[in-house]
Amino acid sequence: MANALEVRDLRVSVGDTEILKGLDLIIPFGEIHAIMGPNGSGKSTLCHVLTGKSGYETSGSASLDGTSLLDKEVDERSRLGLMQAFQYPVEVPGVELETLALEAAEERQIPDAEAKIEGAAERFGVEAFLHRGVNHDLSGGEKKRSEIFQIAVLDPKVALLDEIDSGLDIDAVRRVAGAVETMRSPKMGVLMITHYSRILEHVTPDRVHVMIDGRIVESGGPELAGELEDGGYEGLKKRLGISVAPARPAAKSASEFFTDTPFDV
Ligand code: ADP
Ligand code: MG
């Protein structure tokens, strides 16, 4: 069987700036993988390029269940079974979450869509805002649960969760992590992006990858997240003997550049 997601030697640039510099990643069906990395290492760019956002030059390959992605339009990628939960979910006032889920499920020919929506709404605690505008005036944690709810309804083969924990308080992180854990399925591969290890206390990934400066520099089990918790990215870079120049002209020192901050800048 093909892997849920297979990325080989992916290089991505915008103008003269190379953001991803030869990235390899394989996520088998049934597994949850985490990518951790400092701000600016290219995590969101990876999601954007996989889902088909325009404006990037790419080389290398990416395939979903054996079908090449990079030559496809955004909607084709979606129909192949790719979904992204956004780092910053967009508010769509006037379109009820239930309507969006129902129309999308019908378009994707999901059987028993109404029952599935009802079940997922209960499971992910979105009933209270099912009849409100998509993400409209929701709290950070509610927005993230709304994204996961949509993924659960639409059953993608690959779910990309970009910073599903950013901006959430500790209880919301626990709740969102629980929701991710219940998405585990032999028919899906999940890529969960974070730059904190705290969410990994509540969801146990099969593999943890560390991305620094556009490359996966280390992969391992959940214990890798523990190493980062203890020594930070600087400690890991020291162990691996990596010295990384900032992608842009250095206005800051390399250590400042890689300092972990709560939000992407
Ligand atoms: P992360 O999600 O790991 O914090 P990003 O993928 O958002 O990192 O960004 C990686 C680097 O690429 C950053 O230095 C960012 O400024 C740069 N970058 C991302 N998109 C663009 C773009 N469209 N044009 C120029 N630089 C970009
Ligand atoms: Mg990001």
Side-chain angles (χ1 to χ4, degrees), residues 9-120:
D9 196 25
L10 182 63
R11 289 168 194 275
V12 173
S13 33
V14 177
D16 293 337
T17 309
E18 193 176 33
I19 302 172
L20 300 184
K21 303 175 180 178
L23 186 134
D24 295 288
L25 178 69
I26 291 178
I27 305 183
F29 278 103
E31 295 196 2
I32 298 178
H33 287 213
I35 289 190
M36 305 185 66
N39 276 324
S41 50
K43 305 180 300 296
S44 292
T45 301
L46 172 64
C47 291
H48 296 329
V49 165
L50 291 176
T51 45
K53 185 176 171 186
S54 58
Y56 302 98
E57 292 138 57
T58 59
S59 71
S61 69
S63 61
L64 182 149
D65 196 12
T67 304
S68 152
L69 282 177
L70 298 181
D71 54 347
K72 305 284 189 300
E73 297 297 325
V74 175
D75 59 320
E76 286 179 80
R77 298 182 201 207
S78 164
R79 273 190 282 271
L80 284 171
L82 181 66
M83 265 187 95
Q84 177 176 358
F86 292 101
Q87 181 168 357
Y88 304 110
V90 175
E91 297 197 9
V92 193
V95 177
E96 284 183 18
L97 177 59
E98 185 180 48
T99 309
L100 174 71
L102 200 53
E103 301 253 330
E106 280 168 4
E107 172 70 24
R108 293 277 293 275
Q109 301 182 325
I110 303 283
D112 301 324
E114 280 181 31
K116 202 161 179 205
I117 288 171
E118 204 175 303

Side-chain angles (χ1 to χ4, degrees), residues 116-251:
K116 202 161 179 205
I117 288 171
E118 204 175 303
E122 194 187 341
R123 194 146 53 101
F124 297 112
V126 306
E127 291 150 308
F129 45 90
L130 200 54
H131 298 286
R132 284 168 54 190
V134 173
N135 291 322
H136 189 48
D137 287 337
L138 298 190
S139 73
E142 288 171 340
K143 283 183 185 172
K144 302 290 183 172
R145 290 211 308 279
S146 165
E147 297 277 289
I148 291 178
F149 157 76
Q150 292 168 54
I151 289 173
V153 170
L154 296 180
D155 259 345
K157 290 181 178 170
V158 171
L160 309 172
L161 313 178
D162 194 3
E163 301 239 358
I164 199 77
D165 52 346
S166 72
L168 303 190
D169 65 46
I170 195 71
D171 292 332
V173 167
R174 194 173 298 132
R175 196 140 186 224
V176 164
V180 173
E181 194 57 66
T182 64
M183 283 167 56
R184 232 178 236 287
S185 143
K187 294 185 290 181
M188 197 189 301
V190 177
L191 177 61
M192 191 174 73
I193 289 173
T194 179
H195 63 189
Y196 285 124
S197 48
R198 66 179 183 185
I199 191 168
L200 304 182
E201 289 165 19
H202 308 290
V203 51
T204 309
D206 297 277
R207 300 281 288 167
V208 174
H209 311 275
V210 181
M211 189 194 285
I212 293 180
D213 193 29
R215 290 187 189 88
I216 304 285
V217 298
E218 181 72 319
S219 299
E223 74 286 348
L224 189 52
E227 179 185 345
L228 290 172
E229 185 73 44
D230 295 339
Y233 295 111
E234 285 302 323
L236 180 72
K237 283 195 286 177
K238 206 175 268 176
R239 171 164 77 74
L240 297 173
I242 303 173
S243 71
V244 183
R248 292 164 293 192

